[in-house]
Amino acid sequence: MFNSLSDRLQDTFEKLRGKGRLTEDDINVAMREIRMALLEADVNYRVVKSFVGRCKEKCLTAEVMESLTPAQNVVKIVLDELTVLLGSTDSRLTLAQNRTPNVIMLVGLQGSGKTTAAAKLAYLLKSQGHSPLLAACDTHRPAAADQLATLGGEIGVSVYRGDGRDAVAVAQGSIREAVDHLNDIVIVDTAGRLQIDEEMMEEAVAIKRAVRPDQILMVVDAMTGQDIVNVVTEFANRVDFDGVIMSKLDGDARGGGALSVREVTGKPIKFVSMGEKPDSLEVFHPDRMAKRILGMGDVVGIIEQAQKVADEQQMADAERMLREGFTMDDLLKQMQQIRKMGGLAKIMGMIPGMERAMAQAPQAVDDSQMTRIEAIIHSMTLEERARPKIINGQRRKRIAAGSGRTVQEVNQLIKQWDEMNKMMGKMKGLMSQGGGKKGRRAMQQMMRDMNLR
């Protein structure tokens, strides 16, 4: 979503890096470009004015202007202020310890992704060991309860529908249902409208009074521009929500709403939705998002994604690969893990500097390539997967025909496997050599082979 803004900001910093010393005119030009980049991203103009003012004031200090690396200092100042703009610190969901069930109420406009967000939140909480119940309190939108029931069925979470007519009664009934069935969390999906109206607000206030929610979260469509300010301000005044779920953050809009909401309302962004799948709801980390916007990646995020899908079997597989070599089945498992982590494009987007490279060569991170490789591997025999070296010309033709791919594609895959297997052998050598001179030389050679130097 922030690709355009990220490119503009990185271009601005690149111009500064070419200067040994910065003048006040240099700072003024940089701040003007940052201001234009934010306004073009549809960030609220009051937010832009305040943000640029703070950045400029800090950039004009003697510590920055007279330092040996002024450009780096400017980048750090913008990074820090962008982190403050997005919320400074993580704001995780707060649940009451002395109340069962906890009640989480979702509010927002129609089309903001509220019902989908309710299911994603239920999936996240279930994965953390909770037993959530979804309450279908949108009694106005046709088939809203059916949609929630379908989503709940997909993730294995029960949905309470009540009489389907009185939203307040459904909300109250869901609490009793949760108590009877030992659910420790109730997620209340309320009705939305195409615009803010009195009826919607009154119903939301009535549900709030009836169930006394522990947390009220407003679902906001990240593709909304400056209009988001009026919407969240009105909800904050009437319902007094505790935080924001930013939906559709993987869209192609400019992202100004996401950068404006925290500054305007003072309410933290608690979760962001980065896709359509149930597991695409993530805890929002302002510092990581700020780094991604400035092209610094999110290495911590990659590690956390890897930890989610890691298990003891994978550790055993890693030890076996170092001991016995790399097989086609190992390659297949690696691709499956990449899918669990959100796909190749998502992972690459978290690596510093890779988002711009991906924009220039999107075919290089096409997840469909993994599907083609999987088809080729599935067309191999068990022996061929375990010992790819036995795959001769005749076998390659058979594998190509069985997978619907070309012999050239099969040849390319086997070549990639061979390179990975050689790399695995070098890693095994490093482990046996330890940290001496031999080990360091071997590591340097391996880095050259990987084009990391």
Side-chain angles (χ1 to χ4, degrees):
M1 166 163 282
F2 296 107
N3 288 350
S4 178
L5 173 61
S6 180
D7 287 344
R8 288 287 302 272
L9 293 177
Q10 288 180 60
D11 288 342
T12 299
F13 297 143
E14 198 61 40
K15 294 174 184 176
L16 294 178
R17 290 189 184 99
K19 299 178 181 290
R21 289 286 188 275
L22 295 183
T23 66
E24 185 172 345
D25 285 341
D26 292 330
I27 297 296
N28 287 333
V29 170
M31 292 301 113
R32 189 180 307 120
E33 291 181 358
I34 291 173
R35 183 187 301 111
M36 290 303 300
L38 292 170
L39 289 173
E40 288 179 7
D42 213 12
V43 180
N44 180 266
Y45 70 95
R46 292 192 185 92
V47 174
V48 173
K49 183 178 179 181
S50 174
F51 175 83
V52 173
R54 293 195 301 269
C55 289
K56 183 176 180 179
E57 182 179 352
K58 293 183 178 181
C59 287
L60 288 174
T61 62
E63 291 180 4
V64 174
M65 301 294 285
E66 297 174 8
S67 66
L68 294 175
T69 57
Q72 292 179 8
N73 285 325
V74 172
V75 173
K76 185 180 185 305
I77 288 169
V78 175
L79 173 63
D80 291 343
E81 289 299 325
L82 191 56
T83 303
V84 171
L85 183 67
L86 289 168
S88 296
T89 58
D90 299 344
S91 183
R92 297 178 181 273
L93 193 63
T94 304
L95 299 175
Q97 299 299 317
N98 57 352
R99 181 188 179 190
T100 302
N102 275 250
V103 180
I104 302 171
M105 177 178 168
L106 302 189
V107 298
L109 296 182
Q110 185 174 327
S112 60
K114 211 164 43 304
T115 300
T116 306
K120 290 178 179 179
L121 181 58
Y123 181 89
L124 178 65
L125 292 170
K126 182 181 177 183
S127 69
Q128 295 174 351
H130 294 284
S131 175
L133 173 70
L134 289 162
C137 296
D138 184 352
T139 58
H140 300 270
R141 182 167 63 90
D146 291 338
Q147 180 189 0
L148 192 63
T150 300
L151 293 171
E154 291 176 358
I155 62 176
V157 173
S158 299
V159 176
Y160 180 78
R161 303 177 64 158
D163 62 8
R165 294 189 298 272
D166 185 341
V168 177
V170 174
Q172 291 173 322
S174 68
I175 306 300
R176 294 190 293 270
E177 179 80 1
V179 172
D180 292 342
H181 293 84
L182 302 179
N183 298 104
D184 62 341
I185 295 176
V186 176
I187 300 172
V188 178
D189 177 32
T190 63
R193 298 288 186 279
L194 293 175
Q195 58 185 8
I196 298 174
D197 59 44
E198 192 62 28
E199 181 186 357
M200 179 183 69
M201 285 300 180
E202 285 297 329
E203 183 175 271
V205 172
I207 293 175
K208 177 183 176 181
R209 290 198 195 104
V211 300
R212 295 182 296 110
D214 300 275
Q215 290 272 295
I216 300 177
L217 303 179
M218 181 175 179
V219 181
V220 173
D221 186 343
M223 300 180 76
T224 308
Q226 293 202 32
D227 289 345
I228 201 172
V229 173
N230 298 327
V231 174
V232 295
T233 301
E234 183 66 19
F235 271 97
N237 292 336
R238 296 294 298 274
V239 186
D240 191 26
F241 60 90
D242 300 287
V244 170
I245 296 178
M246 192 68 67
S247 67
K248 307 176 188 176
L249 205 63
D250 55 328
D252 57 1
R254 292 170 289 180
L259 293 175
S260 303
V261 63
R262 174 66 174 78
E263 180 87 353
V264 170
T265 66
K267 306 294 184 181
I269 301 174
K270 290 183 177 282
F271 299 98
V272 291
S273 177
M274 304 287 284
E276 296 297 324
K277 295 181 179 179
D279 62 353
S280 62
L281 190 71
E282 303 174 2
V283 174
F284 180 67
H285 300 279
D287 53 338
R288 298 185 196 176
M289 182 59 71
K291 287 179 180 179
R292 290 191 66 179
I293 291 173
L294 297 185
M296 299 176 184
D298 181 11
V299 176
V300 176
I302 296 176
I303 294 171
E304 287 185 349
Q305 289 290 335
Q307 288 174 336
K308 283 182 183 179
V309 300
D311 54 27
E312 292 182 4
Q313 182 59 47
Q314 289 174 347
M315 295 299 293
D317 287 342
E319 292 177 3
R320 178 189 52 73
M321 281 188 279
L322 284 172
R323 187 173 62 252
E324 302 175 5
F326 190 76
T327 70
M328 286 293 179
D329 281 322
D330 293 325
L331 179 57
L332 195 61
K333 287 179 182 178
Q334 285 189 359
M335 290 191 294
Q336 290 168 348
Q337 296 305 321
I338 289 172
R339 290 190 189 281
K340 287 182 182 179
M341 291 170 65
L344 191 58
K346 180 178 179 180
I347 297 171
M348 295 290 281
M350 292 179 171
I351 299 174
M354 286 305 301
E355 286 199 271
R356 300 188 91 177
M358 287 164 57
Q360 295 170 359
Q363 70 279 0
V365 289
D366 184 4
D367 283 337
S368 64
Q369 179 66 18
M370 288 198 296
T371 303
R372 292 192 283 270
I373 292 174
E374 287 174 347
I376 294 173
I377 295 175
H378 283 305
S379 296
M380 297 178 183
T381 66
L382 293 178
E383 185 182 14
E384 288 168 346
R385 292 192 205 178
R387 299 170 54 215
K389 287 185 177 180
I390 69 171
I391 303 177
N392 56 24
Q394 194 64 30
R395 290 175 184 261
R396 295 182 192 208
K397 289 181 181 179
R398 191 204 78 244
I399 292 168
S403 62
R405 312 313 306 175
T406 64
V407 174
Q408 288 77 13
E409 287 176 298
V410 176
N411 290 340
Q412 185 179 12
L413 174 59
I414 293 174
K415 182 180 179 182
Q416 290 171 344
W417 165 83
D418 189 50
E419 291 172 352
M420 291 178 185
N421 203 41
K422 287 178 182 177
M423 194 65 64
M424 197 65 63
K426 290 180 181 179
M427 290 177 67
K428 180 181 178 181
L430 285 176
M431 292 182 69
S432 63
Q433 292 168 10
K437 289 183 179 179
K438 272 189 169 183
R440 285 196 295 272
R441 282 199 297 269
M443 177 64 78
Q444 290 168 355
Q445 181 59 49
M446 188 172 77
M447 290 178 70
R448 281 194 290 270
D449 292 343
M450 295 173 67
N451 294 320
L452 292 178
R453 284 190 61 178

